[in-house]
Amino acid sequence: MNKVTKSIVSLLSIALILGLAFYPKIKQALNKNPEEAKKEKGGPGGKGGGKTAVVVSVVKSTRLDDMVNTTGSILANEEVEIRSEIAGRIILLNIKEGDVVQKGTVLFRINDDDLQARLRKLGFNKKLAEDNEARQKILLQKEAISQREYDIAVNSVNTIEADIEDLKAQIIKTTVKAPFSGTIGFRYVSLGSYISPTTKIATLTNTNPAKIEFSIPAKYATEIRKGSTVEFQTENEDKTFTGKVYAVDPKIDPLTRTLQIRAVAANPGNQLVPGAFAKINLILKSKGSAILIPTEAVIPEAIGSKVFIVKQGKSVPVKVKLGNRGEKSVEILSGLSIGDTLITNGVIQVKPDGEVEIKEVVE
């Protein structure tokens, strides 16, 4: 027997021995059904897991309103630039930046020495004119003077009295008081400054309540009324505020085809800052309760839409009829019931009647 023949015999012998050794396992593998093979590979329902992790929420009833989404600005309830009606030098300045002042508080006073001197002078002239009128009256009764001469004396008294009243009004203007309660802004003058009616002294702002100014498309003009509710958020607050419409512009802007609206909202903590940007939901009409679900939970189909709910640990497809759509949610008219466990995240991975594992329940 040559070397080649010996090698072939050796290899066949080794193969025969290995075949006898592994024959039981090979036979067991060939006899397994497809389901058992899938389980050993870790398929759905097998020992290796295979459940799809999902996030769910419990379907519940939610208030649904017809509303318009828009943007606007926060305004102060009252705001004024503090100025003087007359020119003069400031002799009293009671303005501290950032202070809260009450209505009627004296803010500043202008030097009125010259006005007071003129008032005293007019007082003396009035006394002289009244004495002259009294003498002229006696002479008129004795027919020593004419009626015209007496009328001139009376007119002199009346003229001086008018001048006194005018001067007193000027003196009142030298003292400036807060027209309403509010917060003092920045001050632009100092004690001793000479000011005129064009000089800006400071600002006074009242922010409680706060006003919200916004506009809506003209097509909603007939649906908005005084007293309509607005919900809004600002850039500096995550909280949702509520206000009421108190004024509607009687005309539509012909350039933008929008209608200007103002609402008012309580602001006791001064969280609403004038000038802030606001995202506004104007509620036109309340539709009562409805089922709202996240838009990402809905799967569009050739005819209609469907969602997946969890029943007995499995994902079950449900046909739904959609209603109004919002920015992040959609109304369900039929197909879902209160209390259903809706799959909101992971819906793309699930299959009909596939086993699922609830990873999180969200509100």
Side-chain angles (χ1 to χ4, degrees), residues 5-21:
T5 305
K6 286 181 178 181
S7 298
I8 292 172
V9 172
S10 299
L11 290 173
L12 290 173
S13 300
I14 293 171
L16 180 60
I17 294 170
L18 291 174
L20 292 172

Side-chain angles (χ1 to χ4, degrees), residues 319-333:
K319 290 278 187 180
V320 292
K321 184 178 180 181
L322 306 182
N324 293 333
R325 286 182 176 270
E327 186 178 351
K328 296 181 180 180
S329 61
V330 59
E331 179 187 7
I332 301 298
L333 300 178

Side-chain angles (χ1 to χ4, degrees), residues 25-135:
K25 291 186 177 181
I26 295 172
K27 182 179 179 182
Q28 183 180 2
L30 292 174
N31 290 334
K32 285 179 181 176
N33 58 42
E35 290 298 325
E36 291 176 338
K38 190 184 290 185
K39 288 182 180 180
E40 288 194 356
K41 289 179 181 178
K47 296 178 181 178
K51 294 183 179 181
T52 304
V54 295
V55 176
V56 301
S57 66
V58 178
V59 176
K60 57 185 178 181
S61 177
T62 307
R63 191 191 75 184
L64 183 62
D65 302 309
D66 278 342
M67 61 177 60
V68 179
N69 299 322
T70 184
T71 58
S73 299
I74 306 299
L75 304 178
N77 180 43
E78 301 288 351
E79 186 173 23
V80 66
E81 289 185 352
I82 300 172
R83 299 177 187 268
S84 173
E85 292 187 68
I86 61 175
R89 180 173 57 85
I90 297 176
I91 59 173
L92 173 66
L93 188 60
N94 188 30
I95 295 177
K96 295 181 181 179
E97 296 169 324
D99 270 10
V100 176
V101 297
Q102 300 301 315
K103 180 179 179 180
T105 301
V106 174
L107 300 178
F108 66 92
R109 183 175 288 125
I110 294 175
N111 182 22
D112 63 349
D113 289 349
D114 57 334
L115 297 177
Q116 294 290 354
R118 287 166 55 189
L119 182 61
R120 289 192 295 272
K121 179 180 177 180
L122 286 174
F124 297 144
N125 289 341
K126 180 183 177 182
K127 179 66 172 61
L128 180 61
E130 287 175 341
D131 292 345
N132 182 55
E133 184 271 336
R135 288 192 294 269

Side-chain angles (χ1 to χ4, degrees), residues 39-341:
K39 288 182 180 180
E40 288 194 356
K41 289 179 181 178
K47 296 178 181 178
K51 294 183 179 181
T52 304
V54 295
V55 176
V56 301
S57 66
V58 178
V59 176
K60 57 185 178 181
S61 177
T62 307
R63 191 191 75 184
L64 183 62
D65 302 309
D66 278 342
M67 61 177 60
V68 179
N69 299 322
T70 184
T71 58
S73 299
I74 306 299
L75 304 178
N77 180 43
E78 301 288 351
E79 186 173 23
V80 66
E81 289 185 352
I82 300 172
R83 299 177 187 268
S84 173
E85 292 187 68
I86 61 175
R89 180 173 57 85
I90 297 176
I91 59 173
L92 173 66
L93 188 60
N94 188 30
I95 295 177
K96 295 181 181 179
E97 296 169 324
D99 270 10
V100 176
V101 297
Q102 300 301 315
K103 180 179 179 180
T105 301
V106 174
L107 300 178
F108 66 92
R109 183 175 288 125
I110 294 175
N111 182 22
D112 63 349
D113 289 349
D114 57 334
L115 297 177
Q116 294 290 354
R118 287 166 55 189
L119 182 61
R120 289 192 295 272
K121 179 180 177 180
L122 286 174
F124 297 144
N125 289 341
K126 180 183 177 182
K127 179 66 172 61
L128 180 61
E130 287 175 341
D131 292 345
N132 182 55
E133 184 271 336
R135 288 192 294 269
Q136 295 289 73
K137 186 176 183 180
I138 295 173
L139 292 175
L140 179 63
Q141 291 172 350
K142 295 179 180 181
E143 298 182 351
I145 61 172
S146 66
Q147 181 66 42
R148 180 177 180 277
E149 289 176 302
Y150 174 72
D151 291 342
I152 292 174
V154 173
N155 183 67
S156 178
V157 174
N158 294 336
T159 301
I160 294 175
E161 286 181 345
D163 288 341
I164 289 175
E165 293 300 319
D166 177 65
L167 202 55
K168 286 180 177 179
Q170 295 296 316
I171 292 174
I172 290 175
K173 292 177 181 179
T174 62
T175 300
V176 176
K177 299 179 180 180
F180 52 82
S181 299
T183 304
I184 298 290
F186 291 151
R187 174 168 57 85
Y188 299 99
V189 299
S190 299
L191 183 66
S193 298
Y194 184 87
I195 61 173
S196 68
T198 61
T199 305
K200 182 179 178 180
I201 311 300
T203 57
L204 179 64
T205 306
N206 179 289
T207 58
N208 185 27
K211 295 176 181 176
I212 309 95
E213 185 177 68
F214 58 96
S215 59
I216 61 173
K219 65 180 181 180
Y220 299 111
T222 58
E223 299 183 46
I224 185 65
R225 296 286 185 274
K226 287 184 180 180
S228 295
T229 301
V230 296
E231 295 178 347
F232 61 97
Q233 290 182 321
T234 61
E235 293 176 305
N236 56 322
E237 288 286 343
D238 293 331
K239 176 183 175 182
T240 298
F241 299 89
T242 301
K244 295 287 185 182
V245 172
Y246 76 91
V248 180
D249 198 322
K251 59 182 177 59
I252 294 171
D253 188 329
L255 298 178
T256 61
R257 300 300 176 188
T258 58
L259 184 68
Q260 287 290 115
I261 298 172
R262 282 190 178 181
V264 63
N267 188 30
N270 294 321
Q271 294 174 299
L272 300 175
V273 182
F277 172 83
K279 294 176 63 177
I280 300 165
N281 294 324
L282 173 61
I283 300 174
L284 300 177
K285 182 173 59 177
S286 181
K287 297 177 66 176
S289 298
I291 293 177
L292 295 179
I293 66 171
T295 52
E296 59 267 22
V298 180
I299 301 175
E301 294 187 313
I303 301 177
S305 303
K306 70 178 180 181
V307 297
F308 278 95
I309 62 174
V310 177
K311 282 187 177 181
Q312 298 178 352
K314 293 185 178 182
S315 55
V316 179
V318 176
K319 290 278 187 180
V320 292
K321 184 178 180 181
L322 306 182
N324 293 333
R325 286 182 176 270
E327 186 178 351
K328 296 181 180 180
S329 61
V330 59
E331 179 187 7
I332 301 298
L333 300 178
S334 64
L336 287 179
S337 301
I338 305 298
D340 285 345
T341 303

